Amino acid sequence: MNEQLQGRETVFSTPWFQVLAAPGSAADGPHYIIEGKDFVTIVAVTPQDDLLLVRQFRVAVAAITLELPAGHIDPGETPEQAARRELVEETGYTADDFRLLTTLSPSVARFTNRMWCFLATNAKPAAGAEAPREAGVDLVLYDRGVRALLEEQEFYSAPSCAALLFAVLRGGLKT
């Protein structure tokens, strides 16, 4: 594996990700890889079985999307700490129990980072102002169930869909 990592060179860098060039075939040229921060996606459920979702404008697709709460893992944070922080920042809710559902690659063909999927049960509004809510992110309490959510036109983020399906598979959600 270490031999396969040799020869990678950073060709572009931002605060959020780096583009690496790995040696490729002479005919195809380099293979480009995106190295980003690991991130968390949270399937949060209230005592009333509502799903906590966020609605926000996404510049990359130039559209308003409906997603699960998610965000990067900051340096020094564990994935669970990041999940707890992101849930409060994006929804204003906390949960006592966070269970790791799985870790996934956003795309094994292009990305080096991992997505950590958590189930947060018994989610309730945070007591007081634990953290300011993220601007431009609207909370949606969704009560129509997993099947209906997967049919929603605005709900098409692959990480959100994958985390949701793992929550069903692991027995944390009913369809």
Side-chain angles (χ1 to χ4, degrees):
M1 176 102 166
N2 285 340
E3 292 172 10
Q4 294 166 342
L5 297 178
Q6 291 179 353
R8 291 182 177 190
E9 165 186 349
T10 301
V11 294
F12 184 74
S13 187
T14 78
W16 300 279
F17 65 89
Q18 292 74 44
V19 177
L20 309 177
S25 69
D28 294 335
H31 181 82
Y32 292 102
I33 300 161
I34 299 170
E35 186 175 70
K37 295 178 182 179
D38 282 5
F39 64 99
V40 295
T41 301
I42 307 106
V43 179
V45 185
T46 69
Q48 298 77 28
D49 288 327
D50 291 340
L51 286 168
L52 299 182
L53 304 176
V54 292
R55 180 173 278 126
Q56 59 191 317
F57 179 79
R58 291 296 195 175
V59 174
V61 294
I64 294 174
T65 63
L66 191 60
E67 305 170 45
L68 295 174
H72 289 117
I73 300 171
D74 288 339
E77 271 187 321
T78 66
E80 183 177 324
Q81 289 169 334
R84 290 178 180 277
R85 175 183 50 76
E86 288 291 343
L87 185 63
V88 171
E89 285 179 4
E90 293 195 355
T91 69
Y93 276 63
T94 61
D96 294 330
D97 184 43
F98 279 71
R99 181 171 57 131
L100 179 63
L101 296 168
T102 193
T103 60
L104 299 169
S105 168
S107 170
V108 294
R110 194 67 59 202
F111 294 95
T112 63
N113 61 339
R114 304 289 290 174
M115 174 177 78
W116 298 74
C117 303
F118 284 89
L119 175 66
T121 54
N122 203 28
K124 297 178 182 172
E130 288 190 30
R133 290 273 310 281
E134 196 171 314
V137 178
D138 297 323
L139 170 65
V140 175
L141 293 172
Y142 194 85
D143 64 357
R144 294 184 26 212
V146 172
R147 288 181 190 270
L149 179 56
L150 289 170
E151 297 296 329
E152 293 282 351
Q153 187 173 356
E154 294 177 321
F155 190 81
Y156 61 95
S157 166
S160 288
C161 292
L164 188 67
L165 293 173
F166 265 95
V168 171
L169 182 68
R170 301 281 194 252
L173 282 182
K174 299 175 189 136
T175 57

